[in-house]
Amino acid sequence: MKIIKICGSYKYINEMKEAALDLELNGIVALTPIDLTKPKEYYSDDDFNKLGLMHKEKIRISDGILVVNVDNYIGESTRSEIEFAKSLNKEVLYWSDFNEKKN
């Protein structure tokens, strides 16, 4: 079974959830980012470092990543995730490509 890690800006968390559902309805395991339950200010730098390490580990154990790039937006953090995935020879897919096919 294929495993895909979803990456993208937190401002598109709803679109990431939609992408996860689409993947899973198509038989693909979706690893999603943590949906923070409190405002960002609540979390320490150490918390964000731990979450970053977990995020990279999810990329490492996946077959590839799906970049949720609404309006083709890819921020600096997501760019680093793409480069990390490529360094591990992971497949890199873009959500905008799938949405164009739907419409």
Side-chain angles (χ1 to χ4, degrees):
M1 187 170 293
K2 196 170 198 176
I3 300 171
I4 297 291
K5 172 65 179 98
I6 296 176
C7 298
S9 171
Y10 265 101
K11 64 183 170 182
Y12 300 123
I13 194 73
N14 290 329
E15 288 84 351
M16 288 191 268
K17 290 176 184 178
E18 180 183 333
L21 179 60
D22 286 348
L23 288 172
E24 297 215 347
L25 288 174
N26 284 288
I28 299 169
V29 175
L31 301 177
T32 58
I34 295 296
D35 192 357
L36 300 175
T37 57
K38 295 178 174 60
K40 281 186 175 182
E41 299 76 31
Y42 175 85
Y43 300 95
S44 69
D45 288 344
D46 188 48
D47 290 335
F48 280 111
N49 287 335
K50 287 177 190 173
L51 293 174
L53 289 173
M54 293 300 107
H55 192 67
K56 283 191 171 182
E57 187 58 28
K58 290 177 185 179
I59 292 171
R60 194 180 326 288
I61 65 173
S62 71
D63 296 304
I65 65 171
L66 174 63
V67 178
V68 177
N69 57 330
V70 177
D71 296 326
N72 291 315
Y73 175 80
I74 298 175
E76 183 180 327
S77 179
T78 304
R79 283 186 207 286
S80 71
E81 294 161 358
I82 293 167
E83 291 308 312
F84 182 67
K86 286 180 177 179
S87 77
L88 299 172
N89 295 314
K90 302 292 182 174
E91 182 177 20
V92 178
L93 306 167
Y94 294 89
W95 193 63
S96 59
D97 293 341
F98 292 103
N99 278 336
E100 286 175 13
K101 292 175 186 174
K102 280 183 181 178
N103 296 327

